Amino acid sequence: MGAMTETDPRAAGVCPERLARIAPWMDRLVAEGRLAGLSVTMQRRGQTVFARACGQADRDRGTPFTLDTVTRIYSMTKPLTSVAVMQLYEQGLFQLDDPVARFLPEFAEMRVAVGGNRAKIETEPARRAITVRDLLTHTAGLTYGFMEATLVDAAYREKGIDFLAREGTLAEMTARTAAMPLLAQPGSAWNYSVATDVLGHLVAVLSGRPFADYLREEVIAPLGMADTDFHVRPDLMPRFCACYIYDRERKLRRYDDSVETAYAQPPAIASGGGGLVSTAGDYHRFCRMILNGGEIDGRRLLGRKTVSLMLANHLGGDLASMGTPRFAETSYTGIGFGLGFSVMLDPAAAQIVGSPGEVAWGGLASTAFWIDPSEDLAVVLMTQLIPSSALPIRKELRVLTYAALVD
């Protein structure tokens, strides 16, 4: 999708003077060397009221960061995968409380870690089966190897459980995951995990099509997300950006090149949890579909009641009440989780401006989005800095954007 065009913000109930605070904030981030480049885009009441990019997509090559720069969106892939899952739900192929083992038998008779050491993890039987909803809400007891906090995390690393790996298959990686002990009893705790990658394999099994094909044909293409895929097409490579990390002196250092990159080729495994690249304009298409209750430009991807179900909190309380989360692309207090998104429950408890019912998520490289149905608002932040916890830019941007709403 091409560059987004701004309209008069006043027509959408947004104050131009307050909105103008975002640009100098962006410029400072680049001038101070905290980010190489970024874009911020904001839509309200179906109109683009702010669309700006600054800085560089590749500092070594002097490539500017633009509104149509192609970025690695990592975990912002998860909501699209969740939409694919719920499309199959609408076709009557499963129920949310169905055991996953009904479709993926490798998840039968799971065991849960209760102690031990690196040489031998002590386990007990799972008290109940993992359900599809457990996977959608990260309450299945799965984890990520990069957490480096528990024996199960270490076991994931030792067994090479990485859905962004450049070899193997989605089915093989899912089977490897199912062979691991669970971190917690199913449904008992919230733990960010490879669950959405497993859901990608579930989509493949239920649809009878490779997951990447299904997502492209049934979600990405109908949404009109022309620049979104699991790799960067040759014609899009000039718009692809480099990715950065901080060195020990907090200076930006290149993590992945914009040209010499694995993203130039299709991956062995299509990661439903973190494999996509996209643009600001493309991701706004997804946000607009959610705001419209499952439809965009006359094309319906989901029923409005299904979207409402996805946007509801499916936890017993907030993330903080579901054990002790070790990592998330959001804060824990006052934030719940739906079917593929975090859900704002209480802005005061979360200590950030926002609206109850607003959904959001982010990616490893500091990208983020949020969708606020009560305000008919969507904001997308694109940049490329790993990890996403390196800067508080998401919170800062939330304050800047919400402060501009006047009607």
Side-chain angles (χ1 to χ4, degrees):
M1 181 176 175
M4 302 173 68
T5 303
E6 289 183 348
T7 58
D8 184 356
R10 287 168 292 202
V14 181
C15 173
E17 291 77 20
R18 287 174 164 262
L19 203 59
R21 298 169 179 170
I22 300 175
W25 171 78
M26 296 172 67
D27 291 338
R28 282 195 304 272
L29 289 169
V30 173
E32 294 170 3
R34 291 192 284 167
L35 292 175
L38 72 158
S39 71
V40 172
T41 45
M42 176 180 175
Q43 290 191 350
R44 190 167 195 233
R45 298 175 183 168
Q47 300 180 54
T48 299
V49 296
F50 187 88
R52 184 175 186 267
C54 68
Q56 295 178 315
D58 189 319
R59 286 164 44 122
D60 294 331
R61 295 178 174 86
T63 310
F65 204 105
T66 65
L67 291 173
D68 60 358
T69 289
V70 179
T71 66
R72 305 156 189 79
I73 62 170
Y74 288 110
S75 287
M76 281 168 56
T77 304
K78 289 179 171 70
L80 275 77
T81 300
S82 300
V83 166
V85 172
M86 297 308 290
Q87 286 179 329
L88 299 174
Y89 169 77
E90 288 192 330
Q91 295 173 32
L93 297 181
F94 70 89
Q95 294 299 309
L96 292 175
D97 58 358
D98 278 344
V100 174
R102 176 181 167 191
F103 314 103
L104 307 180
E106 56 266 44
F107 283 96
E109 301 179 15
M110 298 297 291
R111 298 188 67 85
V112 181
V114 294
N117 52 47
R118 291 285 288 268
K120 182 175 175 55
I121 300 176
E122 297 175 3
T123 64
E124 66 180 16
R127 299 189 192 109
R128 70 161 175 81
I130 296 171
T131 67
V132 178
R133 189 176 79 161
D134 290 335
L135 292 177
L136 283 161
T137 58
H138 294 284
T139 57
L142 306 181
T143 187
Y144 271 120
F146 71 76
M147 298 290 192
E148 300 189 0
T150 70
L151 293 173
V152 179
D153 301 343
Y156 272 51
R157 294 194 300 276
E158 290 169 4
K159 296 297 182 180
I161 296 175
D162 179 6
F163 286 84
L164 292 175
R166 293 292 158 171
E167 59 182 10
T169 69
L170 184 54
E172 291 167 355
M173 200 62 71
T174 300
R176 212 179 289 180
T177 303
M180 294 292 100
L182 299 176
L183 197 63
Q185 289 289 341
S188 69
W190 191 91
N191 286 294
Y192 199 39
S193 71
V194 299
T196 316
D197 290 294
V198 173
L199 286 171
H201 182 49
L202 179 65
V203 168
V205 170
L206 290 174
S207 68
R209 296 150 67 180
F211 170 61
D213 291 350
Y214 182 95
L215 196 71
R216 289 188 194 104
E217 295 164 8
E218 304 299 335
V219 179
I220 293 172
L223 282 170
M225 298 176 70
D227 297 343
T228 301
D229 208 332
F230 288 102
H231 76 291
V232 184
R233 298 192 312 267
D235 61 304
L236 299 181
M237 284 299 295
R239 288 199 268 130
F240 191 47
C241 59
C243 190
Y244 296 89
I245 59 174
Y246 286 141
D247 62 19
R248 291 182 178 180
E249 285 75 44
R250 292 282 290 181
K251 302 291 186 182
L252 289 170
R253 177 169 62 84
R254 189 170 60 191
Y255 173 82
D256 185 39
D257 192 42
S258 63
V259 177
E260 301 297 324
T261 174
Y263 283 91
Q265 302 296 328
I269 299 172
S271 168
L276 290 176
V277 298
S278 190
T279 63
D282 271 13
Y283 214 87
H284 267 288
R285 301 279 299 171
F286 170 76
C287 295
R288 177 49 49 188
M289 181 272 292
I290 295 295
L291 283 170
N292 288 349
E295 180 270 340
I296 186 167
D297 294 343
R299 193 79 183 263
R300 180 161 292 281
L301 281 80
L302 289 170
R304 65 178 181 86
K305 296 295 288 186
T306 302
V307 173
S308 294
L309 183 64
M310 294 179 72
L311 305 191
N313 180 34
H314 286 253
L315 307 182
D318 60 8
L319 297 183
S321 72
M322 296 289 292
T324 305
R326 297 161 301 140
F327 175 82
E329 298 288 356
T330 182
S331 56
Y332 309 136
T333 303
I335 306 291
F337 207 84
L339 304 181
F341 316 83
S342 64
V343 182
M344 176 70 79
L345 303 178
D346 184 345
Q351 300 187 65
I352 189 70
V353 65
S355 305
E358 157 208 313
V359 296
W361 207 240
L364 175 66
S366 301
T367 59
F369 78 97
W370 66 92
I371 302 168
D372 187 337
S374 68
E375 294 286 354
D376 195 0
L377 171 74
V379 179
V380 175
L381 166 66
M382 291 298 197
T383 188
Q384 296 283 266
L385 174 68
I386 290 177
S388 57
S389 57
L391 292 174
I393 53 176
R394 295 170 179 172
K395 286 188 173 182
E396 293 170 356
L397 180 58
R398 291 174 63 86
V399 175
L400 288 162
T401 53
Y402 273 112
L405 303 187
V406 293
D407 179 22

